[in-house]
Each structure stands twice: as C-alpha cells, then as structure tokens.
Amino acid sequence: GAGVSQTPSNKVTEKGKYVELRCDPISGHTALYWYRQSLGQGPEFLIYFQGTGAADDSGLPNDRFFAVRPEGSVSTLKIQRTERGDSAVYLCASSYAGTPNEQFFGPGTRLTVL
Amino acid sequence: AQSVTQLDSQVPVFEEAPVELRCNYSSSVSVYLFWYVQYPNQGLQLLLKYLSGSTLVKGINGFEAEFNKSQTSFHLRKPSVHISDTAEYFCAVGSADGLTFGKGTHLIIQP
C-alpha cells in the first residue's frame, strides 16, 4: 500500500513569506506527527494529532507555526513570516493509534528560506 | 522529560566487521525505545523497537539491540556489516505524544 507522502519535496521561499507543507498519512492511521530535522541533528517533535485534534503542540517553536488536520487525514503545516532559521527538513509520520505503535515517516519537505 | 544521547556522531567500520552504536536515554515514564535508519536521500525507516518483555530485540537487516534498564542504554549491534549499511542511525524514546530522537550516528563502512 501507499506510504506517507509529503508535498512539495522541496520548497524555496524568501524571508517573510508564508508557506504550507502538506502531509498525506497512511490510510486508516489516526495518529499524525510533524517533526523538524535541522542539518546534523535528529528530528525534533513539533506537533501530534489524534484524529482531527492537536493532542500535543508543545513542540511548535512559536506562534508563526500552525498545523491543521480538518478531516482527520491530510495535515497541513503552516509557517507565517518565514525566517532563515526555519530552513530544515520537515518530516511527517503517521501511526495506527499512536505510541507505542510504529511511526511511518514520509520523505520530508526540504524548506529553504533565503 | 525525556532525552536521548548518542555518544558517537560517526562510527567508521571495515566491511564484515562487527559494530555497536551506543544510545543512552533518560525518561521519567514507561520506556519505549526505537532505532531508526535513514539512508541517503530517503526517509526514516524503523529498524527495531523495545516495548516490553525480552531485553534483546531483533530487527531488520541483521540488527539487534539490548535494553539495559540499570544502565539506561539501548545499544544497537550487528555482527557483520555491509557497504549497504552506510546510513544515519537514530535512537529514539517514545511517549504517548511522540518520539524524542538522539542526534544520530553516521555509520561509515570502509571496504
């Protein structure tokens, strides 16, 4: 079956612009996670959805970051007024009902803010 | 709060030699431990996980890991590595809300 997909694979934007990153989880997975991976680092947790609601958004770095999952499937990570420090690979993962079940990761979106 | 420490940022190993990648964790709640592998230009893939039960966990591609509660460690091992094992390896501890990852260890296989 299809895995987790993320679009776009690469996004280049200018400082101050708004961007949206999309994640399509595996069908039937109720849990969805966003992580951010900076160069040379491990992924850092951003936000976790169980169904349509954000169960834990404690990893979002500031109020410029927001994520939605309106129908409990596709999720969009939104970043306002992008800054150069937002440049990273944004990873999405999904799992069946959450930890400790395996999280399946997408290939990521590489965001570059010029 | 949880944290994961991967003590080595890079580990060079000759092909067909054994390897151990070290991972130490701290967690105030029940421990779920994972090792993920990231091949060049690919997404993260689960190698193995420890949830409960036997402390020796076997995973894919001949890897295994041992959970040691007293030493708070979950080291990854393989008895004989191949060129195809060249990748970044991440240890992670899981909670109800997500995974906390270490910084990763780059396994470099030398012919």
Side-chain angles (χ1 to χ4, degrees), chain B residues 61-79:
Chain B
N61 300 340
F63 284 93
E64 63 181 32
E66 185 154 19
F67 170 60
N68 188 318
K69 187 174 182 179
S70 64
Q71 296 186 5
T72 60
S73 68
F74 191 55
H75 300 333
L76 181 71
R77 302 187 189 101
K78 186 170 182 177

Side-chain angles (χ1 to χ4, degrees), chain B residues 36-49:
Chain B
Y36 279 83
V37 60
Q38 189 172 36
Y39 297 105
N41 300 314
Q42 295 188 29
L44 287 160
Q45 179 182 1
L46 182 69
L47 271 179
L48 48 80
K49 63 182 177 183

Side-chain angles (χ1 to χ4, degrees), chain A residues 33 35 37 40-43 45 48 55-56 91 99-107, chain B residues 32 34 36 38 42-44 46 49 51 90 94-99 101-104:
Chain A
Y33 308 80
Y35 296 85
Q37 186 174 17
Q41 302 293 318
F45 169 79
Y48 156 55
D56 183 354
L91 298 169
T99 302
N101 296 292
E102 176 182 353
Q103 293 186 24
F104 294 83
F105 282 80
Chain B
Y32 306 122
F34 305 80
Y36 279 83
Q38 189 172 36
Q42 295 188 29
L44 287 160
L46 182 69
K49 63 182 177 183
L51 304 182
F90 294 96
S95 70
D97 294 340
L99 297 172
F101 286 87
K103 291 187 176 183

Side-chain angles (χ1 to χ4, degrees), chain B residues 6-34:
Chain B
Q6 291 185 245
L7 298 168
D8 305 298
S9 59
Q10 285 191 116
V11 172
V13 182
F14 286 107
E15 195 172 13
E16 298 184 7
V19 68
E20 178 179 84
L21 306 183
R22 296 181 293 169
C23 172
N24 288 86
Y25 69 91
S26 66
S27 176
S28 58
V29 295
S30 297
V31 175
Y32 306 122
L33 293 162
F34 305 80

